[in-house]
Amino acid sequence: MQLVVVQGRQELGAAAAKVIAEQVRANPRSVLGIATGASPLPVYAQLAADSGTDYRQTTCFALDEYVGLAAPHPQSYGQFVRDHVSGPLGIAPERIHVPDGLAEDLEDACALFEQEIEAAGGVDLQVLGIGRNGHLAFNEPGSAVGSRTRVVPLSADTRRANARFFPNPSSVPTHAVTQGLGTILAARHLLLLASGPEKASAVERAVNGSVTTDCPASVIQLHPHVTVIADEQAADSLGRVEAMVPTLH
Ligand code: GLP
C-alpha cells in the first residue's frame, strides 16, 4: 500500500488527478471506477482542467446509486457522474455505467451491472471515497468481503451524513444499489481518497486496523495495489504508522 499525505483538498485533487491521468495516458481505453461524494470533487475538477489527456475512449463505472433515484434527479449519482465526470471530460453516455436505482427488478439490474464490468474487461483504476463509519461505496459495516453488486439498506449514520445534499433529512433514500466489496477488490488498482477531520478515525482503521467487516474499507489491505491519498486532517491519526507505511509528502 502506498500512502500519500498531502496538505489539503486542492493538493489531494492534484495528486489523485495525476494518478488517473497517468493511467489513461498509458491506456486511453482504460476502465475507470468513479466514486461520488465531496472528496473526489477537486480530483474531477483537476482532470477537467487538464487538456493534455484525452478521456473520450475511457469507460466508466460508478460505484453506487440511490434506490428510487436516477439522472436527471439532482441528488442521483447518475447526475453527479454526468455533471462532474462524463460531461466535463467529454465521455459519451454509452461509455458511462451507473447502477440502475429505478429498475423494476433491482436484482436483475445488479447482475447486469456485474456482467457489464466483466464485458469491459474489469476496472483498471477504482477511485474510492470513505464514509465516516468506514463504508466503501455503500458497503456498510457488516458487508461481506466477497459481496457483489446488490441492494443495501443505508445506515442511520450514512443517511445523516448525506442529508447535506438533500432538501431535508427525510428525503435521503433508505436504500441504495452498490458494488460489493468483492466487486471493488476485483479492480486492478484502488485509489482511496480521504479529506477532512471527520474521516481520520475511518482512515486509521482502514489502513492500520484489523481487516474486519466492522470497517468495510479495511478490505483494501487485502489488495495488492492500493494508493491512499489523504489530506493532513484525514491522516491525523496515522502518525504512529508513518514509519511502517511508505509515505510521500
Ligand atoms: C457516500 C458514497 C461513498 C462516499 C461517501 C463519502 O456515502 N456512497 O461512495 O465515499 O459518501 O463521501 P464524502 O467524500 O462526501 O465524504
Side-chain angles (χ1 to χ4, degrees):
M1 183 186 301
Q2 183 191 28
L3 173 65
V4 181
V5 180
V6 294
Q7 201 185 353
R9 280 172 54 79
Q10 287 319 310
E11 291 80 7
L12 179 143
K18 191 162 171 267
V19 176
I20 298 169
E22 272 169 10
Q23 167 67 43
V24 173
R25 279 203 290 268
N27 174 15
R29 300 184 69 82
S30 289
V31 178
L32 301 178
I34 300 297
T36 55
S39 312
L41 283 178
V43 184
Y44 302 140
Q46 283 277 343
L47 293 181
D50 159 28
S51 54
T53 311
D54 186 348
Y55 290 90
R56 285 173 303 175
Q57 292 186 72
T58 59
T59 297
C60 298
F61 285 90
L63 277 172
D64 44 12
E65 178 60 285
Y66 290 110
V67 169
L69 304 190
H73 189 289
Q75 271 77 41
S76 72
Y77 287 170
Q79 191 58 37
F80 177 103
V81 174
R82 282 190 196 181
D83 290 345
H84 300 289
V85 185
S86 57
L89 300 183
I91 305 171
E94 59 270 22
R95 291 187 171 276
I96 303 293
H97 303 264
V98 180
D100 185 356
L102 289 180
E104 218 164 276
D105 189 328
L106 287 167
E107 227 171 271
D108 270 5
C110 293
L112 181 68
F113 191 75
E114 288 278 340
Q115 284 162 20
E116 286 172 344
I117 296 177
E118 211 181 300
V123 172
D124 292 302
L125 177 62
Q126 175 64 60
V127 180
L128 295 165
I130 182 169
R132 299 189 302 201
N133 62 357
H135 73 232
L136 271 194
F138 275 130
N139 292 283
E140 299 281 22
S143 297
V145 176
S147 53
R148 309 303 296 202
T149 303
R150 67 203 188 289
V151 177
V152 291
L154 300 181
S155 72
D157 185 59
T158 296
R159 292 187 71 230
R160 254 195 313 275
N162 289 5
R164 67 201 145 124
F165 300 115
F166 288 83
N168 55 68
S170 61
S171 52
V172 183
T174 55
H175 289 74
V177 180
T178 184
Q179 287 190 31
L181 294 175
T183 319
I184 292 167
L185 287 174
R188 288 181 273 280
H189 181 186
L190 304 181
L191 176 61
L192 179 83
L193 310 174
S195 67
E198 67 282 5
K199 300 293 172 66
S201 153
V203 168
E204 200 275 334
R205 294 179 72 202
V207 169
N208 191 39
S210 339
V211 177
T212 162
T213 56
D214 289 348
C215 177
S218 64
V219 302
I220 64 170
Q221 295 177 39
L222 303 173
H223 195 285
H225 191 187
V226 181
T227 306
V228 176
I229 306 181
D231 69 10
E232 284 173 359
Q233 290 182 316
D236 198 39
S237 308
L238 289 176
R240 68 195 169 85
V241 293
E242 279 185 29
M244 291 159 48
V245 183
T247 304
L248 303 178
H249 284 276

